Amino acid sequence: MSSVAVGEPAERAPGRKRRGGREVFLPFLLLLPAVGLMLALYAYPFISSIYRSFLVKGQGALTLSNYVKVSELYLRDIFFSLEIAFLSTAVAAVLSILMATYLRLGSGRVVRLIGSVYRLPIFIPFVVVAQMMTTFLAPHGLLNVSLAQIGLVNLDTPPDLLNWKGLTFAFVWKQWAFMTLIVLSGFEMIDNTYIEAARSFGAKLHQVILRILVPMSRASLSVALILAFTSTVGTFTLPYMLIGGKTPTTLTVDIAHRVTYFGDYGVANALGTIAYILVVFTAVYYLRYTVRREVYEQ
Amino acid sequence: MPSLSLRNLNKRFGKAVAVENLDLEIHDGEIMTMLGPSGCGKTTTLRCIAGLLRPDSGEIYLGDKRITDTSPEKRGVGLVFQNYALWPHMTVHQNLAFGLQLRKVPKEKAARRIDEALAMVRLSGFEERYPRQLSGGQQQRVALARALVIEPSLLLLDEPLSNLDAQLREEMRFEIRELQKKLGITSVYVTHDQAEALVLSDRIAILHEGRLVQVGTPEEIYNQPGNRFVAGFIGLTSFVEGRVASVDDAGAYATVRTEDNLEIQAAASGLQPGQKVTLAIRPEHIEIGEQEPVPSVAGTNLFQGQVLRGAYLGDIIDYRIGVGNWVLRANTPTDRMLQPGQQVWLSFAPDRVTWIPA
Amino acid sequence: MGTKRFLTRTVEVVALVLLCLLIFGPMLGLVIWSVALRWYWPNLLPQEIGADYWRQALGLEKSLAVGAVSITGSLQTSLVLALLVVAVVMLLSTPVGYVLAKYRIPFKGAILLLFLMPQAFPQQPVFVNLLLVFTKMGLAGTFQGVLLVHLMVCLVFAVWISTAAFKAVPSELEEAARSLGAGGLRTFFRITLPLAMPGLLASAVFVFLTSLDEFTGTFFIGLPFVATLPMLLYSSSGFNLQFASVIAIVLLIPSILFMVIIERFLKAEYIGGIGV
C-alpha cells in the first residue's frame, strides 16, 4: 500500500479498483492465511465427506453400498429430520412474523421492553438450550408439574415430551427469536407510508401483514427461513442431548453414532452427504443471494 | 361531497405541541391548502384527518358525521403521500385494485374503474408495469389514481409534488387542480411551497408553530397578509417599522414615521394615529430610478437609497437597497445593471404598502 | 368502542404473559435445579434448596455427598482456548475483512463462497472428516486440534462482521487522508482502523462467545481428552441434573452480558450461528 504514496495523482481512490503489480498481489497476500486455513479445515473435509461417502473400508473402488445401508437403516430418520425441520421452521416463522409485526407497528414502553427481552434465546447456545429443555420437558419436569397444578396433566401418566414434540418445541424456542430479529429488520426497512396507505384503503391488520409487510420483506423472510431450516437440519447438539438414540432420531445423531460406536465413516459420510442434499436448494438460494448482494454493494 | 370541519384540534408529541386549538372549515368541493414551514403542524393535522393519528382533543366532522375516533380504513379518505407509497411488489393495476378488493367491488366493475382512473391521469396502458418502471411523475399520477379509484369523499395530499423536479412540479400543479375541479372532490393539500399553494388552492390556511395564522383566498393571503409571518412566508417582502404620525381627513391614507424619521404613506384602512405598525412592501411594487424621478404622482413614496448588493436571478436582478436604517428589496430587469454603492431613487404607491399590527 | 379496546388489551396481556412464561420457563427450571437439593414431583418447587452444588462446582468445597466434580479445570480450558481463538482469529480475519470491503479483486465470488458455505450447509460432516485427518496427524483429542476446529468455526463469523465493519467506513474519509499526503499504511492505521474498531471489537466478543459455547466440533475432535465447559455439561447432563444446571448457568452469564454489548453492531444473520 505504501507504494502508492509518492508522485501519484491524489484523486485516485486509495486501494480501490486497481489492478496490476503489487496492487493485486497485496490483497491476495492479506487473504492468504485465512483462505488457506479455510481450504484446509473446511473445503478439504467438506469435499472429502462427499468423496468418502462412496468408499468402503478395505475396498478400493467407489461404491454405492454406503447409501444402500443408509436406505435400509436410516430412511425413517431422514424423514424425521426433514419433518422436524419443516415443522419447527414453519411454526417459528409464523410466530416470528406475528412478533415482528407487533414490534414494528406497536409503540410505547411495553413494546420497547419486549423488543429487547425477546432476543434472549438468540444468545443462548444450543448446549444450554438442550440442558434447559431436558429438565423443563422431562416427564416430571417443570412444564408438566406446572400444568398439573392447573389440572391439565396427570402426573401419574405424564405425556412424554422428549420426542418430536419436545425437539420441535426446543427448536422453535431457539429459532423463533432469531427469525424475529431478521424479519423485523426487513419490516423496519418498509416506510410507514406503505402501511398507512394500505390502512387508509381499508386494510385490516391481517391484510396489512399478508399483503404488505410479508411480500415487501420477502428477502429477509427467506433468509430467516433458510438459515433456520439449515441450522435445524444440521444441528447435532440439541437432538443428541434431548432425544439421543431413541427411534426415530435425527440424521445428525445417526452420524455421531456411526462414528463413535462403529467407526464407520463411510455410512456417516453418506448420511452427511444426504444432509447436504436436504438443504441444497435453500443453500444455493442463500449463497447466490448473499454473494450477489456483496458483489453489487461494491 | 361533504365538507370537512376541524374543531379545536390539539395534538402533542410528548412535550412538543404539534397542533394547538385548530379550527378549520373546508367547504364542499373546495381544495384547501395547509401551508407552512416544516414543523408547523400541517402534516400532523392531515394525519389526524386521515385517522393515522388520534388527536389529543377536539373533533373532526366529515359532513355531519363525527369521525374523530373512526379508524382510518372506515373513513373513506383518499391519501396521496410525498413518497407516493406505491407498493413496490404490486403492478400499477394491483396497486389500484387493492382498495377496491377490500371494498368487495366485483372484479369487472373494479377493472372498469381502474381503467377510468388511469385514463384520468393519462396512464392508460401502464397497468402491468411495476412502480420502479415508472418515472417520478408517472408514479405520482398512479398514486393519485390509486387514491381516487376508491371514490373517496375526501382527498388528502401530503406534499405530493416535492419529490419531483421543478418543471414537472409546475405542470402537475395545474393537473391536480383541474382533476380536483372536474371531480369536485373536497380536498386538503399540504405543502411548504407557497407558489404551489397560490396556484392550486381555493383557499389557503397558513400554519405556524401548530397554530392557524390566517385563512383566505390566495389573493387575500398575498395582498393582505394578516401578520408579519404570513407576509414573510408568502412572496418576498421588506418590512419597515414605525408609528402612525397622522391619518388624512378621509381616513384613506396614513403617514407612518420611522425612528430614523422616514415618512411613508400607506393605505390607512383603520389605522389610528400613534399606533405602532409594521409596513410590508413587496419588491415588485417598487420602482428604481437612477436619476431623480420625473414629477411623481402626488402622495407617492419617494426615497433615496444606496445599492448594497444585487443577485442575478436569470429573469430579474434582485437588489438590496439601503434606505435610512432599513433595507428594501427591489427588482430590475436584467438589462439594467446597478453597481453596489450607486445612489438610486425608490418609489412606490401608498396603496401597495400594507400594514400589519406591530 | 370501549369494550372492543378492552378486549384487544386483554388479548395482548394474555399473549404477553404466555410469551414470558414460554421464554423464561425453561430458564427458570435451570435456576431452580441448580439450587435444588431435594425435588420430587408433584411439588412445583424443591423441598430443600441450597448452594451446595454451586460451592462444589466452583471448587469452594469438596464433598462426596453431592457427587459432583469441580468445573474450574474446564472453565480454565475454555477460557484459555477462547482467548487464543480470539487472538488468532482477529489477526486472520481483519485483513480479510479489509480486502473484501475495499478491494475489487478477481475470484471474489469464490472467496466469498468459501466463507459462506459453513453457514449454508451442515458442519457436522466436516468435523467427522476432520477427525479422520486429525487422527492420522495425532491431533485428535488434543488441545491444538480443538483450537484448530474453533478457529475454522469462528473465522467465518469474524470475516463477515469485520467486512461489514470496514464497509461502514466511508471511502471519502480515507480519500481525504490520502489527498492530504498520508500513505496507504498511515491511512489504514490512523483513519480506517479506528473507525472500524467498534465493529471489530464486536467481532472479537462474538468470536469469544462462539468459542466458549462451541459443541459439535469439540465433541468430535476433543472428546474424551479435552473437556471444555460444554463438554462437561454434556457429560454430566445424564446423571447429575444439578451440576449440569450450574454449568449451563455459568455458560449463560457471558452470553447474556455480551448480548447487550454486541447486538448493536451485528447483523441478525450472523448472530444466528452462535453456539452451534
Side-chain angles (χ1 to χ4, degrees):
Chain A
M1 294 286 291
S2 53
S3 65
V4 191
V6 188
E8 296 222 16
E11 72 269 12
R12 239 187 214 175
R16 258 193 175 241
K17 299 163 196 150
R18 308 240 265 122
R19 282 155 193 271
R22 289 172 70 176
E23 288 302 317
V24 167
F25 183 63
L26 180 74
F28 277 105
L29 201 69
L30 292 172
L31 289 176
L32 197 64
V35 170
L37 189 98
M38 285 306 287
L39 285 175
L41 296 180
Y42 184 79
Y44 169 71
F46 181 87
I47 293 165
S48 114
S49 70
I50 297 173
Y51 174 68
R52 282 175 182 281
S53 73
F54 298 104
L55 288 184
V56 172
K57 230 180 191 169
Q59 247 179 276
L62 296 180
T63 159
L64 280 176
S65 65
N66 292 324
Y67 288 93
V68 173
K69 207 173 227 173
V70 165
S71 70
E72 282 163 5
L73 295 174
Y74 298 116
L75 216 49
R76 176 78 197 88
D77 289 350
I78 293 171
F79 282 109
F80 182 74
S81 285
L82 263 186
E83 285 158 18
I84 294 287
F86 275 121
L87 184 62
S88 56
T89 306
V91 174
V94 172
L95 290 177
S96 68
I97 289 171
L98 290 177
M99 188 66 177
T101 307
Y102 174 74
L103 294 174
R104 172 68 180 79
L105 300 181
S107 60
R109 217 176 301 155
V110 182
V111 176
R112 274 203 301 280
L113 183 73
I114 291 176
S116 52
V117 166
Y118 87 90
R119 305 174 197 210
L120 210 56
I122 299 172
F123 293 87
I124 301 178
F126 269 116
V127 57
V128 174
V129 175
Q131 179 57 35
M132 238 181 226
M133 292 301 169
T134 355
T135 55
F136 186 66
L137 302 173
H140 296 123
L142 196 58
L143 181 65
N144 279 341
V145 171
S146 307
L147 291 179
Q149 299 282 318
I150 50 173
L152 286 178
V153 160
N154 178 4
L155 282 182
D156 296 323
T157 54
D160 182 15
L161 295 174
L162 295 180
N163 48 27
W164 67 272
K165 291 177 203 154
L167 196 54
T168 306
F169 178 82
F171 271 123
V172 169
W173 192 88
K174 168 83 175 145
Q175 309 283 30
W176 155 81
F178 147 71
M179 290 176 81
T180 302
L181 194 65
I182 299 184
V183 173
L184 182 61
S185 76
F187 281 7
E188 263 161 6
M189 285 194 297
I190 301 171
D191 195 90
N192 269 335
T193 53
Y194 292 108
I195 301 159
E196 287 167 356
R199 288 184 61 201
S200 78
F201 284 117
K204 298 196 179 62
L205 182 62
H206 70 275
Q207 289 159 327
V208 171
I209 296 175
L210 292 177
R211 303 199 50 182
I212 308 295
L213 291 177
V214 168
M216 278 187 76
S217 48
R218 262 178 312 198
S220 13
L221 195 62
S222 17
V223 168
L225 285 170
I226 287 168
L227 291 179
F229 181 80
T230 306
S231 137
T232 308
V233 169
T235 296
F236 160 68
T237 321
L238 189 60
Y240 190 67
M241 287 177 66
L242 204 62
I243 63 173
K246 289 183 182 172
T247 352
T249 190
T250 62
L251 266 186
T252 49
V253 175
D254 292 332
I255 292 176
H257 285 167
R258 219 57 221 175
V259 171
T260 50
Y261 296 160
F262 304 103
D264 181 356
Y265 288 88
V267 172
N269 278 322
L271 285 166
T273 306
I274 287 168
Y276 295 153
I277 294 169
L278 294 185
V279 302
V280 77
F281 289 109
T282 53
V284 168
Y285 178 92
Y286 173 72
L287 292 174
R288 278 177 49 161
Y289 167 80
T290 314
V291 169
R292 208 174 281 172
R293 188 187 61 191
E294 292 295 321
V295 173
Y296 273 136
E297 259 179 25
Q298 289 273 311
Chain B
M1 294 283 162
S3 60
L4 176 75
S5 149
L6 310 177
R7 299 184 191 164
N8 201 18
L9 220 56
N10 279 284
K11 180 74 192 173
R12 284 160 186 275
F13 296 109
K15 276 188 183 154
V17 177
V19 178
E20 203 175 358
N21 301 331
L22 182 75
D23 281 296
L24 194 59
E25 287 288 333
I26 293 119
H27 306 315
D28 175 9
E30 175 183 49
I31 179 164
M32 162 79 84
T33 298
M34 287 198 283
L35 175 66
S38 61
C40 71
K42 54 191 193 299
T43 298
T44 305
T45 309
L46 192 83
R47 293 167 63 83
C48 287
I49 301 172
L52 300 170
L53 280 177
R54 188 181 292 269
D56 298 334
S57 65
E59 301 293 348
I60 304 171
Y61 282 86
L62 190 57
D64 40 15
K65 218 174 86 198
R66 179 177 169 279
I67 58 166
T68 317
D69 299 317
T70 312
S71 58
E73 63 267 22
K74 294 191 182 124
R75 294 193 184 195
V77 165
L79 251 174
V80 180
F81 293 89
Q82 178 172 0
N83 63 355
Y84 323 137
L86 296 178
W87 300 300
H89 60 293
M90 299 185 196
T91 62
V92 168
H93 182 92
Q94 289 166 333
N95 262 285
L96 264 65
F98 188 84
L100 296 174
Q101 283 166 9
L102 295 175
R103 281 169 180 69
K104 307 227 161 36
V105 176
K107 227 175 179 181
E108 276 170 32
K109 200 172 166 199
R112 204 168 52 242
R113 273 166 68 175
I114 293 169
D115 285 346
E116 284 167 15
L118 284 177
M120 208 155 61
V121 296
R122 297 183 288 110
L123 280 176
S124 302
F126 285 73
E127 289 81 357
E128 296 314 313
R129 302 252 191 128
Y130 282 93
R132 60 174 180 279
Q133 299 167 313
L134 301 175
S135 71
Q138 289 168 337
Q139 289 186 33
Q140 184 47 259
R141 300 216 296 268
V142 174
L144 200 58
R146 186 179 68 175
L148 292 172
V149 77
I150 59 167
E151 295 174 355
S153 43
L154 183 66
L155 180 64
L156 304 176
L157 305 105
D158 186 8
E159 308 233 7
L161 303 184
S162 50
N163 284 359
L164 301 178
D165 56 39
Q167 207 182 346
L168 198 55
R169 197 154 58 212
E170 232 163 281
E171 273 172 42
M172 286 295 294
R173 286 173 194 161
F174 291 104
E175 216 166 293
I176 289 180
R177 165 132 189 120
E178 264 171 38
L179 209 55
Q180 188 270 337
K181 284 292 153 235
K182 201 165 92 191
L183 299 172
I185 183 170
T186 312
S187 308
V188 182
Y189 189 106
V190 159
T191 182
H192 65 272
D193 181 336
Q194 40 121 348
E196 215 166 280
L198 292 172
V199 171
L200 57 69
S201 320
D202 291 319
R203 288 191 303 150
I204 298 175
I206 306 236
L207 276 80
H208 181 45
E209 291 174 349
R211 289 167 170 276
L212 183 65
V213 185
Q214 191 176 2
V215 188
T217 63
E219 292 77 15
E220 285 166 357
I221 298 276
Y222 192 85
N223 291 327
Q224 294 140 39
N227 67 18
R228 191 171 173 149
F229 171 78
V230 176
F233 192 71
I234 301 269
L236 280 174
T237 308
S238 308
F239 296 104
V240 177
E241 284 162 15
R243 207 176 271 281
V244 178
S246 63
V247 178
D248 73 353
D249 297 337
Y253 294 100
T255 306
V256 173
R257 184 176 296 128
T258 64
E259 276 182 3
D260 53 330
N261 281 321
L262 292 178
E263 286 194 352
I264 302 176
Q265 310 290 319
S269 56
L271 280 177
Q272 299 298 321
Q275 193 179 340
K276 275 184 86 172
V277 292
T278 298
L279 300 179
I281 309 150
R282 298 213 181 261
E284 64 268 29
H285 295 145
I286 298 180
E287 287 281 337
I288 303 182
E290 284 173 68
Q291 280 91 39
E292 175 130 22
V294 266
S296 53
V297 188
T300 299
N301 293 296
L302 181 64
F303 299 100
Q304 192 170 26
Q306 189 180 28
V307 176
L308 302 176
R309 59 188 163 92
Y312 179 80
L313 298 182
D315 51 345
I316 53 162
I317 304 177
D318 173 28
Y319 289 104
R320 277 151 213 264
I321 295 167
V323 178
N325 294 342
W326 309 94
V327 175
L328 299 185
R329 295 176 75 160
N331 306 329
T332 64
T334 48
D335 54 1
R336 257 183 80 198
M337 295 279 268
L338 303 173
Q339 298 308 314
Q342 191 178 342
Q343 294 291 322
V344 290
W345 292 87
L346 303 182
S347 58
F348 46 92
D351 290 327
R352 293 302 198 178
V353 182
T354 48
W355 64 269
I356 299 157
Chain C
M1 194 68 218
T3 45
K4 199 179 161 195
R5 241 202 234 172
F6 176 75
L7 267 177
T8 359
R9 277 277 137 186
T10 316
V11 170
E12 193 180 302
V13 168
V14 169
L16 289 181
V17 168
L18 269 177
L19 179 80
C20 286
L21 280 181
L22 284 179
I23 291 187
F24 292 110
M27 298 175 71
L28 192 67
L30 273 189
V31 177
I32 300 176
W33 265 117
S34 78
V35 294
L37 297 183
R38 236 156 37 83
W39 189 6
Y40 300 109
W41 63 279
N43 291 59
L44 191 59
L45 293 172
Q47 286 90 338
E48 198 186 338
I49 61 167
D52 301 31
Y53 286 93
W54 277 97
R55 284 200 297 272
Q56 179 84 22
L58 298 175
L60 303 174
E61 202 173 81
K62 281 199 169 67
S63 128
L64 288 176
V66 291
V69 276
S70 156
I71 65 165
T72 48
S74 288
L75 186 61
Q76 202 186 339
T77 309
S78 276
L79 286 179
V80 171
L81 185 64
L83 289 174
L84 269 176
V85 170
V86 168
V88 179
V89 163
M90 290 318 287
L91 220 56
L92 291 177
S93 67
T94 306
V96 177
Y98 181 74
V99 169
L100 289 183
K102 299 283 176 187
Y103 280 81
R104 203 178 273 265
I105 49 165
F107 309 114
K108 185 164 189 169
I111 294 166
L112 290 172
L113 209 60
L114 184 64
F115 288 105
L116 277 171
M117 291 273 287
Q119 278 260 77
F121 288 99
Q123 293 187 17
Q124 192 194 13
V126 168
F127 298 137
V128 167
N129 287 275
L130 271 182
L131 174 59
L132 265 180
V133 182
F134 280 12
T135 310
K136 276 185 207 141
M137 298 167 66
L139 281 169
T142 66
F143 183 82
Q144 293 89 323
V146 174
L147 178 67
L148 283 175
V149 172
H150 281 212
L151 287 184
M152 188 275 277
V153 172
C154 296
L155 192 59
V156 176
F157 298 115
V159 160
W160 286 108
I161 299 169
S162 58
T163 304
F166 283 118
K167 254 188 199 158
V169 179
S171 293
E172 294 77 25
L173 298 182
E174 299 166 295
E175 282 158 13
R178 296 301 284 268
S179 74
L180 293 172
L185 274 179
R186 189 189 292 269
T187 303
F188 177 80
F189 283 108
R190 292 286 302 279
I191 310 292
T192 318
L193 194 62
L195 288 171
M197 199 46 96
L200 296 180
L201 284 178
S203 166
V205 169
F206 192 70
V207 166
F208 181 81
L209 280 183
T210 309
S211 167
L212 198 67
D213 296 337
E214 210 286 333
F215 185 88
T216 312
T218 320
F219 178 88
F220 283 98
I221 304 297
L223 274 187
F225 303 109
V226 182
T228 60
L229 271 187
M231 291 304 112
L232 192 64
L233 167 53
Y234 159 71
S235 54
S236 48
S237 95
F239 66 94
N240 193 332
L241 271 180
Q242 286 92 332
F243 190 54
S245 299
V246 169
I247 305 172
I249 292 172
V250 170
L251 280 175
L252 260 184
I253 292 167
S255 306
I256 294 174
L257 264 183
F258 287 139
M259 164 177 121
V260 189
I261 306 173
I262 60 176
E263 66 171 6
R264 289 195 297 138
F265 299 104
L266 287 185
K267 267 195 189 166
E269 32 190 300
Y270 308 137
I271 299 179
I274 197 166
V276 186

